[in-house]
Amino acid sequence: MGETPLKGLSLTLSIEFLSIKLLSYNTFMRPPPLGIFLEYKEERLNYLIENKFANFDIICLQEVFGNFNNRKNKLKNEMEKKGFKYSSTCYNCFFCNGKIIDCGLLI
């Protein structure tokens, strides 16, 4: 996989002595079978875990779907190892409200 710059929104808020670094990022990790061969999902997930999250206090991720794969759980577990104590996401469901995927959000 070639080196591609990651684009997302990063924001630093400073209120007197408080500084919070926030990252909002669309991971583009669609659930299987979409893009099963050409999207390098595992490689991008590993790259994100190892290289992009260390400098942020709050990370808001989109398109981290948990259905039909274990990427969301892997990401949550690895982030806990890196010191992120809290997370919030929607639950995984096989068939919810006529949909077969979850919301894809992870904070």
Side-chain angles (χ1 to χ4, degrees), residues 8-14 19-25 55-60:
L9 171 67
S10 77
L11 174 66
T12 301
L13 300 174
S14 295
S19 179
I20 299 171
K21 295 179 185 174
L22 177 123
L23 173 69
S24 177
Y25 185 74
N55 297 323
F56 295 97
D57 302 308
I58 301 172
I59 300 171
C60 304

CSV table of all heavy atoms in Angstrom, one decimal, residues 8-14 19-25 55-60:
chain,number,residue,atom,x,y,z
A,8,GLY,N,-8.5,14.3,7.8
A,8,GLY,CA,-9.6,14.4,8.8
A,8,GLY,C,-9.6,15.7,9.4
A,8,GLY,O,-8.8,16.6,9.0
A,9,LEU,N,-10.5,15.9,10.3
A,9,LEU,CA,-10.5,17.2,11.0
A,9,LEU,C,-9.8,17.1,12.4
A,9,LEU,O,-10.1,16.2,13.1
A,9,LEU,CB,-12.0,17.6,11.3
A,9,LEU,CG,-12.2,18.8,12.2
A,9,LEU,CD1,-11.7,20.0,11.5
A,9,LEU,CD2,-13.7,18.9,12.5
A,10,SER,N,-8.8,17.9,12.6
A,10,SER,CA,-8.2,17.9,13.9
A,10,SER,C,-8.4,19.3,14.5
A,10,SER,O,-8.4,20.3,13.8
A,10,SER,CB,-6.7,17.5,13.9
A,10,SER,OG,-6.0,18.6,13.4
A,11,LEU,N,-8.7,19.4,15.8
A,11,LEU,CA,-9.1,20.6,16.4
A,11,LEU,C,-8.4,20.7,17.8
A,11,LEU,O,-8.4,19.7,18.5
A,11,LEU,CB,-10.6,20.6,16.5
A,11,LEU,CG,-11.3,21.8,17.2
A,11,LEU,CD1,-11.0,23.1,16.5
A,11,LEU,CD2,-12.7,21.5,17.4
A,12,THR,N,-7.9,21.8,18.1
A,12,THR,CA,-7.3,22.0,19.5
A,12,THR,C,-8.1,23.1,20.1
A,12,THR,O,-8.2,24.2,19.6
A,12,THR,CB,-5.8,22.3,19.5
A,12,THR,OG1,-5.1,21.2,18.8
A,12,THR,CG2,-5.3,22.5,20.9
A,13,LEU,N,-8.7,22.8,21.3
A,13,LEU,CA,-9.5,23.9,22.0
A,13,LEU,C,-8.6,24.3,23.2
A,13,LEU,O,-8.1,23.4,23.9
A,13,LEU,CB,-10.8,23.3,22.5
A,13,LEU,CG,-11.8,22.8,21.4
A,13,LEU,CD1,-13.0,22.2,22.1
A,13,LEU,CD2,-12.2,24.0,20.6
A,14,SER,N,-8.4,25.5,23.4
A,14,SER,CA,-7.7,26.0,24.6
A,14,SER,C,-8.6,27.0,25.4
A,14,SER,O,-9.1,28.0,24.8
A,14,SER,CB,-6.4,26.7,24.2
A,14,SER,OG,-5.6,25.8,23.5
A,19,SER,N,-6.5,22.4,27.5
A,19,SER,CA,-6.3,22.2,26.1
A,19,SER,C,-6.7,20.8,25.7
A,19,SER,O,-6.3,19.8,26.3
A,19,SER,CB,-4.8,22.3,25.7
A,19,SER,OG,-4.6,22.1,24.3
A,20,ILE,N,-7.6,20.7,24.8
A,20,ILE,CA,-8.2,19.4,24.3
A,20,ILE,C,-7.9,19.2,22.8
A,20,ILE,O,-8.3,20.1,22.1
A,20,ILE,CB,-9.7,19.3,24.6
A,20,ILE,CG1,-10.0,19.4,26.1
A,20,ILE,CG2,-10.3,18.0,24.1
A,20,ILE,CD1,-11.5,19.5,26.4
A,21,LYS,N,-7.3,18.1,22.5
A,21,LYS,CA,-7.1,17.8,21.1
A,21,LYS,C,-8.1,16.8,20.6
A,21,LYS,O,-8.1,15.7,21.1
A,21,LYS,CB,-5.6,17.3,20.9
A,21,LYS,CG,-4.6,18.3,21.2
A,21,LYS,CD,-3.2,17.7,21.0
A,21,LYS,CE,-2.2,18.7,21.5
A,21,LYS,NZ,-0.8,18.1,21.5
A,22,LEU,N,-8.8,17.1,19.6
A,22,LEU,CA,-9.9,16.3,19.0
A,22,LEU,C,-9.6,15.9,17.6
A,22,LEU,O,-9.2,16.8,16.8
A,22,LEU,CB,-11.2,17.0,19.2
A,22,LEU,CG,-12.4,16.3,18.6
A,22,LEU,CD1,-13.5,16.1,19.7
A,22,LEU,CD2,-13.0,17.0,17.4
A,23,LEU,N,-9.8,14.7,17.2
A,23,LEU,CA,-9.7,14.2,15.8
A,23,LEU,C,-11.0,13.6,15.4
A,23,LEU,O,-11.6,12.8,16.1
A,23,LEU,CB,-8.6,13.1,15.7
A,23,LEU,CG,-8.5,12.4,14.4
A,23,LEU,CD1,-8.0,13.4,13.3
A,23,LEU,CD2,-7.6,11.2,14.4
A,24,SER,N,-11.5,14.1,14.3
A,24,SER,CA,-12.7,13.5,13.6
A,24,SER,C,-12.2,12.9,12.3
A,24,SER,O,-11.6,13.7,11.5
A,24,SER,CB,-13.8,14.6,13.4
A,24,SER,OG,-14.9,14.0,12.7
A,25,TYR,N,-12.5,11.7,12.1
A,25,TYR,CA,-11.9,11.0,10.9
A,25,TYR,C,-12.8,9.9,10.3
A,25,TYR,O,-13.4,9.1,11.1
A,25,TYR,CB,-10.6,10.3,11.3
A,25,TYR,CG,-9.8,9.8,10.2
A,25,TYR,CD1,-9.1,10.6,9.2
A,25,TYR,CD2,-9.8,8.4,10.0
A,25,TYR,CE1,-8.5,10.0,8.2
A,25,TYR,CE2,-9.1,7.8,8.9
A,25,TYR,CZ,-8.4,8.6,8.0
A,25,TYR,OH,-7.8,8.1,6.9
A,55,ASN,N,-1.5,11.6,19.5
A,55,ASN,CA,-1.5,13.0,19.9
A,55,ASN,C,-2.8,13.6,20.2
A,55,ASN,O,-3.0,14.9,20.2
A,55,ASN,CB,-0.8,13.8,18.7
A,55,ASN,CG,0.6,13.4,18.6
A,55,ASN,OD1,1.3,13.1,19.5
A,55,ASN,ND2,1.1,13.4,17.3
A,56,PHE,N,-3.9,12.8,20.3
A,56,PHE,CA,-5.2,13.3,20.5
A,56,PHE,C,-5.8,12.9,21.8
A,56,PHE,O,-5.5,11.8,22.3
A,56,PHE,CB,-6.1,12.9,19.3
A,56,PHE,CG,-5.7,13.5,18.0
A,56,PHE,CD1,-4.9,12.8,17.1
A,56,PHE,CD2,-6.1,14.8,17.7
A,56,PHE,CE1,-4.5,13.4,16.0
A,56,PHE,CE2,-5.7,15.4,16.5
A,56,PHE,CZ,-4.9,14.7,15.7
A,57,ASP,N,-6.7,13.7,22.4
A,57,ASP,CA,-7.4,13.4,23.6
A,57,ASP,C,-8.7,12.7,23.3
A,57,ASP,O,-9.2,11.8,24.1
A,57,ASP,CB,-7.6,14.6,24.4
A,57,ASP,CG,-6.4,15.3,24.8
A,57,ASP,OD1,-5.4,14.7,25.3
A,57,ASP,OD2,-6.3,16.5,24.5
A,58,ILE,N,-9.4,13.1,22.3
A,58,ILE,CA,-10.7,12.6,21.9
A,58,ILE,C,-10.6,12.2,20.4
A,58,ILE,O,-10.2,13.1,19.6
A,58,ILE,CB,-11.9,13.6,22.1
A,58,ILE,CG1,-11.9,14.0,23.6
A,58,ILE,CG2,-13.2,13.1,21.7
A,58,ILE,CD1,-12.9,15.1,23.9
A,59,ILE,N,-11.1,11.0,20.1
A,59,ILE,CA,-11.1,10.6,18.7
A,59,ILE,C,-12.5,10.2,18.3
A,59,ILE,O,-13.1,9.4,19.0
A,59,ILE,CB,-10.1,9.4,18.5
A,59,ILE,CG1,-8.7,9.8,18.9
A,59,ILE,CG2,-10.2,8.9,17.1
A,59,ILE,CD1,-7.7,8.7,19.0
A,60,CYS,N,-13.0,10.8,17.3
A,60,CYS,CA,-14.4,10.5,16.7
A,60,CYS,C,-14.2,9.9,15.4
A,60,CYS,O,-13.8,10.6,14.4
A,60,CYS,CB,-15.2,11.8,16.6
A,60,CYS,SG,-15.3,12.7,18.2
